[in-house]
Amino acid sequence: MTEAFEALAGLDKVVHEPARLALLTALSACRSADFLSLQRLTGLTKGNLSTHLSKLEEAGLVEIEKQFIGKKPNTLVRLTVEGRTAIEQHWQALERLHRDAQQWQVDGSQ
Amino acid sequence: MKLFEPTKHTDAGRQSGEGTMEDLKRIKVVTAHYHSLQGLRTLPFLIWVLLINITDAGEIMGIRGMGLDLRCLLVVPGLGLVWALSRWIGAYYDRAFGQVERLPSHRRSLEWLATILFGIIVFISIWIDGLLRLPVIVTSLVLAAAMAYFWWTSHRFLTHYLVLAAFLVGLALLPLLGVPIDGRWYDHFVSYVFILGVFIVVCVLNHIALVRNVKALSQVAS
């Protein structure tokens, strides 16, 4: 069980925060997504989404491209190579921890 | 089992993190299928093809003259209307749900392979239905298998595909209940109207699934 706690402590905090994890998960399933779709997919408010995206950009996990479609501004977000690797590794770690946690429940009930 | 049901966060589920994991998987599935879940985009085109085939069927059944006139009306102005409607629906989706660019095709090679394979199998099943007159509708069974496969690959979130699969299996067994499987109506039903009808239902249900899932995800966040 100690190994599992060490693994938990070792999780990247930038990635593991629930809203950012949701954003990175959404972005890992596509090439790019605009601001509105990320808002719809995660249910975050504009302000929260903007803050989390800035943090992810600072960490080098996402690229943000601002452009105009016609006269309307459009913010396009995509994962960087580092971001894709980080979220894939994070998911593997979570799945591993999830399996371990289920194992504790089975052991505990015996 | 309810269609489009948001994840229930039970105490036990919260403790093991199951609810959160399910929500994250839901986000992944909805994002990956964001474009195909915008089912109303293709609806005008499918209805247009269906109308053309129905008028064709009308002519086969002996309603001559009317079918030809209707087809003339449907082809040129109909296509223009389809194009305009599709653009309008596309603009609605962009405005309401935003835009998601799908993963590059080399990362979706399995999806492409499955689509090509499915197309070939459907073609063969139509041929078998027309030629062999088996006591089951093979095309319906093939479509059911495809729906079940799609449900499975969506991590079992897109439940309507499973419901449709069950419905199609039921339809496939209709000849066993005494529904006649000969005559030209049968050829037309199986090869055009039936397949198009299924795709139209899929499109509408996909749209409902998108709306309901997005709503469920925003409830989880709040």
Side-chain angles (χ1 to χ4, degrees), chain A residues 3-36:
Chain A
E3 279 176 21
F5 280 117
E6 279 171 6
L8 257 177
L11 286 176
D12 187 344
K13 301 286 183 295
V14 178
V15 179
H16 194 61
E17 197 283 330
R20 289 197 287 272
L21 185 55
L23 282 169
L24 291 172
T25 302
L27 289 167
S28 71
C30 63
R31 186 187 275 183
S32 67
D34 69 1
F35 195 87
L36 180 61

Side-chain angles (χ1 to χ4, degrees), chain A residues 35-46:
Chain A
F35 195 87
L36 180 61
S37 63
L38 288 174
Q39 219 188 324
R40 292 280 180 269
L41 287 163
T42 59
L44 293 168
T45 59
K46 277 184 185 175

Side-chain angles (χ1 to χ4, degrees), chain B residues 44-207:
Chain B
F45 177 71
L46 287 175
I47 291 175
W48 177 74
V49 179
L50 183 70
L51 282 175
I52 291 215
N53 280 292
I54 286 173
T55 52
D56 202 26
E59 214 165 318
I60 287 168
M61 286 170 179
I63 315 165
R64 290 184 186 279
M66 186 188 90
L68 191 66
D69 292 342
L70 267 177
R71 285 192 81 171
C72 288
L73 262 178
L74 278 168
V75 172
V76 185
L79 254 182
L81 189 68
V82 164
W83 179 80
L85 269 173
S86 298
R87 294 266 302 182
W88 182 71
I89 293 168
Y92 153 74
Y93 275 121
D94 291 348
R95 217 172 37 243
F97 296 95
Q99 289 171 318
V100 168
E101 197 186 348
R102 295 205 293 176
L103 283 172
S105 48
H106 67 267
R107 292 182 71 104
R108 293 185 284 121
S109 46
L110 198 68
E111 195 184 310
W112 279 107
L113 193 72
T115 309
I116 293 167
L117 204 67
F118 169 67
I120 294 169
I121 294 173
V122 166
F123 187 75
I124 293 170
S125 67
I126 291 172
W127 180 74
I128 289 173
D129 276 329
L131 204 73
L132 300 180
R133 308 285 177 195
L134 297 172
V136 289
I137 304 175
V138 182
T139 312
S140 189
L141 285 179
V142 168
L143 287 173
M147 298 286 160
Y149 170 78
F150 205 75
W151 167 74
W152 184 257
T153 55
S154 75
H155 293 274
R156 286 156 281 161
F157 279 114
L158 305 177
T159 327
H160 59 289
Y161 280 101
L162 186 66
V163 176
L164 269 172
F167 172 72
L168 286 167
V169 170
L171 265 182
L173 302 178
L174 276 182
L176 287 175
L177 301 171
V179 176
I181 52 165
D182 48 2
R184 295 176 90 172
W185 77 269
Y186 175 79
D187 294 336
H188 230 83
F189 175 75
V190 170
S191 52
Y192 299 114
V193 180
F194 174 62
I195 294 173
L196 283 166
V198 168
F199 280 116
I200 286 171
V201 172
V202 167
C203 283
V204 175
L205 290 179
N206 273 346
H207 171 77

